[in-house]
Amino acid sequence: AEGGRYSISSSLKMHRAVTGGGSGSIMSLLMVLACLGASHAFAPAALPLKLAGAAAPTLGRGRSCSLSMGVERGDVIKGVVPALLAGAGAAPAFAMKKKPVDKGDGKWANHLGEFTDEEISEGFTTTASGLKYKQVQEGTGAQPRTGNTVTTHYSGYLLSNGALFDSSYDRRKPLSFKVGQGQVIKAWDEALLDMKIGSKRILVIPPELGYGERGAGGGLIPAGATLVFYVELVGVAP
């Protein structure tokens, strides 16, 4: 031991002392890991894991080992097996659960290469403003009104070369905004006010309904660009 901590070598000796050279013991494995955590090389200094209470497990000739992952030597483990495992193969009691992420099903919005004339004309409707759209999936939920907060998933491409410039599906995070309030490009306000929750549409957006002659994204969307958006309405809130 150095400075009140066990080395990896002593941890291996401890393992043999507990198991008699055998293998497959959960208790021995946990105790080896405990002492490995106590070594300088293995222990992250900022992890304050502490299960304090009773005396430390005894190893061999009265020696004891404490879990020193960022805590002092006096902080000992109490009931290693009951605290960490409900049974052989069970998950640690302190395992963190990740919050589910709304990934969306973006496969329908994937496109590779340049768009053909058929892809942007067949099955499309053109509105009075010049917006073209194709209904890919009809929604059955609520239809938003001006001022409602809508939640959308989308992928946006340049018509000129088929290049993807933005996608909420790729970020795994939908976009929310107040519809009809000018917070997005004109084509989006027009299209989404005509959609229902669950709707999926392909929009072909002329420059005057998109980013015009100014472009966007520092050149990512050039001036005068016609855009193709795959848009899904996920939710509507007041």
Side-chain angles (χ1 to χ4, degrees), residues 139-145 148 192 195-199 233 235-237:
T140 58
Q143 184 171 335
R145 297 180 179 180
N148 286 166
L192 286 161
M195 295 171 65
K196 296 179 180 179
I197 294 176
S199 293
L233 180 56
V236 176

Side-chain angles (χ1 to χ4, degrees), residues 7-32:
S7 66
I8 295 178
S9 176
S10 67
S11 299
L12 295 175
K13 291 179 181 179
M14 175 209 69
H15 177 267
R16 288 194 293 270
V18 173
T19 64
S23 61
S25 167
I26 293 177
M27 172 65 86
S28 65
L29 174 60
L30 288 171
M31 297 179 77
V32 168

Side-chain angles (χ1 to χ4, degrees), residues 206-217:
E208 58 270 23
L209 298 179
Y211 295 99
E213 295 304 318
R214 70 183 185 279

Side-chain angles (χ1 to χ4, degrees), residues 96-104 153 171-174:
M96 295 181 65
K97 294 183 179 180
K98 293 184 178 179
K99 184 178 180 180
V101 177
D102 183 0
K103 300 178 181 179
H153 262 307
R171 291 194 301 274
R172 300 182 179 183
K173 184 178 181 180

